[in-house]
Every structure is written in structure tokens, then in C-alpha cells.
Amino acid sequence: MKINYTMYGTGLTGGVRVLLEIANGLVERGHDVTLTTLGSKEDHAWFPLKAEVIYQNIPQFVKAFRYGSAKYLKGDWFNSSPTLELRKLANATPGDVDINVATYCFTAYSVFSSGSGIPFYHMQHYEPLFFDDVFMSKLAETTYYLPINKIANSIWLKNLMRDKFRIDLPVVNPAIDHELFFPRDFERDTENLRVVAFGKQTRWKGFPELLEAMKIVMGKVKNIEFIVYGGNRPNYPSSVPYTFLQSPSDEQLATLYSSADVVVTSSWYESFPLPPIEAMACGAPVVTTQYGTEDYAFAEQNALVVPPKDPSSLANAIERLLIDEHLREQFKREGPKIAKTFTWDKTIDQVETVFKDSLKVD
């Protein structure tokens, strides 16, 4: 099969990592895979990509105009509605592809309008939730009405699309690299209990709720070491002390997970987030919010699962896991068992099946 992925960018994010892993897996199985994307080669220098990339650069004066309009004229339209980018991505799509895959809500317009191949939209979240602006949220929602084949990456997303749009989607779960994420040997220079979490400024990631929860926990449990990792340190005000680890490598992250007594995800909603399952693979006990982790986080079996936007429940779960060594040991055993079932071979099998079914080939 000749397959094109239409991507807004290839910078380091969990969602981009998943798509690049799938692209590599398809190449390894003999398929002709291209990526049509904005940006430049340096954007994906962090990943050993095997697929051909077709770059579409946006002129600097256009970027400068949009930045200026957003900052000084409050012209959010210029900053948020990427008409030029979508047109460039549509026009750059190879004309002889069998499958053309949108990977972000607005790139669905590019794929649909390109007329190349059978159109797909590989959905990795319910993206109208990303926008505070009502118009932009509705514009994102409109993409789900386009006559495009759709793939959900989680049970949560599948169920949401069924309930809102009355459509039944195949689920293709992401996976993790088990040669990277496994229980590591580590040396702790302290006997403190270690809580680890991903921190990001994006509001729905729930970092303020986590800070509030950790304030409660630290008032009850002594000798806690709180470590947060991410791209840039969140700037939410807090009296909670924590160490921030900026942009750790996969090796560093796997070691950090392995050293944790608790790894926490506090998002309002996710659709198969990678940090909890990466942590499980490394033998870390996990506390997570419930929406989007249903594929692998099973309450009381391999994780504690709490409602989102509830710092009190989050604090109770973290405290419970910190003081209950037997429960931590149970999760250390059960977490890797479940994590190991999510492999890239299985993911690529599912992708191939969905694409071949649409082409009606064996």
C-alpha cells in the first residue's frame, strides 16, 4: 500500500511519537509511506524516522504577521485558523496514494479536499476540547461530520464518538517501546518516598489540581520527594516544593519511573495517555484519572483510578498508595503484565487490517 500521513508538525509530543512509530512499522512491512507536514527536518531530529517526508514551510513574514496580529491586535483568527497551512498540505499530498490519513482535526480538511486516496482520520483525542474559543471548538467538531473513515485510539474516544455522533469506530491502541520502558536498576540517595508526575501548562492536563492534592498529601505524609518532568516548567503559583526535570531522555524517564513510589496522571480527560502505561511498564505504581485510560488502567488491579478535577480524591489515592506497601507491590507486579500486551507489532497489525479492509484487499 502507498500511505500518506498529513501532519501539522513532527515536534516531540506523545501523539506525534505514536504516528511516527506507526509510519516506521508500516515501512518495515514493505509499505510505501510518506509524511506531508509543515516545518523542517530538524523538527523530528529526535526520532529515527524511516518514511519519506514532504515538507511544507510557511514563509516567515506570514508567521510574523500572525504573531503580531495575535499579540497586538488580538486577532485570534490569524493565529488560530491556519487556512494557508491546510491548503499547502492538501496541495502537497501525493496524487497516487492509496490511503491518506489526517492526524489532527484541521488536517481532516486537507485530506478531504486533496482528493488523494481513501481518506482517514486517525483520532488521538476529542480535539474540540483543546479550544477555549467556542468558534474554534465548533470548527474542530465539524471535522467529525466529514465523510472520512475514522480510527479511535482508545475505548473512551470510541464511546464518545458513538454517543455524540452515532458512529462506530475501530480502535487502534498505541503501544510503547518495551526495549526502553522496563523496570530499571537505580540508586536512591534518599529514603524519601518519591512521587513523579508529568507537568504542563495546558489547563486540562490538571497540574493545578495535582499541586492542590500534593499540598494535602504533604501535610499528612512526611519525607516526600515530588519530581515533575516535562518540556517547560509550569508557571502555576504553588507553595508545594518540587524538583523539575526538563525534557528528560527516554532512558532518564524510564529510570525516573522505575525509582518512583507513585506516578500520577491528573488530567481532566485523555485518550490513551502514554505516561501511565510507560510507568506501569517500568514497574511504577500508578494513580490516574479515569477518562481515557480505560484500555489499561484497571481500578484496584494495577492502578488507583480517580475522578478528574477532584484534588481531594486524588490526594486520598496518592496517600493510600504511599502508606500501603503491599498495594504498591501488587501494582509493581500487575502493571508490567498489562503494559507488555501493548506492542507496536499488534498496533501495526490493526492499522494494516483497517486500511486493507477499506481497499478490499487481503
Side-chain angles (χ1 to χ4, degrees):
M1 290 181 288
K2 188 165 185 177
I3 305 161
N4 180 70
Y5 281 86
T6 300
M7 301 181 64
Y8 215 65
T10 55
L12 176 55
T13 68
V16 169
R17 178 189 289 272
V18 168
L19 294 167
L20 299 189
E21 289 280 7
I22 291 173
N24 274 5
L26 291 169
V27 169
E28 289 168 0
R29 295 194 181 186
H31 301 291
D32 184 353
V33 182
T34 56
L35 273 62
T36 306
T37 182
L38 303 172
S40 62
K41 185 176 181 179
E42 289 71 28
D43 295 341
H44 70 261
W46 56 275
F47 189 87
L49 184 61
K50 300 177 181 179
E52 177 189 354
V53 184
I54 302 170
Y55 300 102
Q56 294 298 297
N57 292 313
I58 301 301
Q60 284 298 121
F61 78 89
V62 174
K63 295 179 182 178
F65 177 69
R66 286 187 173 156
Y67 174 80
S69 69
K71 183 174 182 180
Y72 301 110
L73 302 178
K74 307 301 180 185
D76 289 338
W77 171 259
F78 294 105
N79 190 48
S80 303
S81 181
T83 307
L84 175 62
E85 289 94 327
L86 300 183
R87 185 188 299 271
K88 287 177 74 70
L89 288 172
N91 292 340
T93 304
D96 57 346
V97 297
D98 300 307
I99 303 290
N100 192 14
V101 188
T103 56
Y104 172 59
C105 55
F106 296 133
T107 61
Y109 293 115
S110 300
V111 166
F112 176 66
S113 63
S114 73
S116 297
I118 295 178
F120 272 85
Y121 177 10
H122 191 132
M123 301 161 54
Q124 298 195 81
H125 213 300
Y126 183 64
E127 292 172 337
L129 294 172
F130 292 175
F131 303 96
D132 294 327
D133 180 81
V134 174
F135 176 81
M136 295 303 298
S137 180
K138 288 294 184 182
L139 190 63
E141 183 181 299
T142 302
T143 62
Y144 301 127
Y145 294 99
L146 292 173
I148 293 177
N149 299 284
K150 300 172 183 70
I151 298 169
N153 75 330
S154 71
I155 294 171
W156 171 80
L157 186 54
K158 174 186 174 70
N159 291 343
L160 189 151
M161 296 299 290
R162 179 199 61 208
D163 295 343
K164 289 182 71 71
F165 302 97
R166 299 294 185 267
I167 56 177
D168 188 30
L169 303 183
V171 174
V172 175
N173 288 140
I176 57 174
D177 186 342
H178 295 282
E179 293 185 2
L180 282 172
F181 295 104
F182 59 89
R184 304 298 186 98
D185 293 329
F186 61 90
E187 292 185 8
R188 290 266 288 270
D189 55 4
T190 175
E191 294 184 358
N192 290 343
L193 294 167
R194 177 172 287 181
V195 178
V196 172
F198 174 70
K200 191 173 183 179
Q201 191 66 27
T202 304
R203 186 63 188 90
W204 58 266
K205 289 292 186 179
F207 192 63
E209 286 83 0
L210 176 58
L211 291 175
E212 190 174 341
M214 288 303 298
K215 184 176 181 179
I216 297 171
V217 173
M218 288 179 167
K220 296 180 178 181
V221 182
K222 304 304 178 184
N223 302 321
I224 292 179
E225 181 183 21
F226 184 25
I227 300 178
V228 178
Y229 70 92
N232 293 298
R233 187 185 183 102
N235 61 13
Y236 295 108
S238 173
S239 59
V240 175
Y242 64 87
T243 300
F244 185 74
L245 180 61
Q246 187 170 22
S247 302
S249 67
D250 289 334
E251 293 285 341
Q252 291 172 319
L253 188 56
T255 301
L256 181 63
Y257 287 145
S258 298
S259 73
D261 295 290
V262 180
V263 173
V264 186
T265 293
S266 55
S267 302
W268 297 355
Y269 28 68
E270 292 277 4
S271 191
F272 206 101
L274 296 179
I277 194 170
E278 290 172 348
M280 287 180 186
C282 294
V286 167
V287 173
T288 182
T289 46
Q290 67 189 91
Y291 298 127
T293 58
E294 295 90 341
D295 300 80
Y296 58 78
F298 306 120
E300 304 294 331
Q301 177 183 343
N302 68 332
L304 292 181
V305 182
V306 300
K309 303 183 185 180
D310 188 343
S312 178
S313 294
L314 188 62
N316 289 339
I318 296 170
E319 179 186 356
R320 179 185 168 195
L321 206 45
L322 286 173
I323 65 178
D324 190 338
E325 185 175 355
H326 293 293
L327 189 60
R328 292 204 307 272
E329 290 302 317
Q330 174 186 326
F331 290 174
K332 286 180 180 180
R333 291 192 305 271
E334 296 301 320
K337 291 180 185 178
I338 291 172
K340 285 178 181 177
T341 66
F342 293 90
T343 67
W344 285 117
D345 275 344
K346 184 185 295 184
T347 299
I348 304 306
D349 285 344
Q350 293 169 336
V351 171
E352 281 188 317
T353 297
V354 171
F355 289 169
K356 287 179 178 178
D357 285 349
S358 73
L359 293 168
K360 296 180 173 55
V361 299
D362 295 327

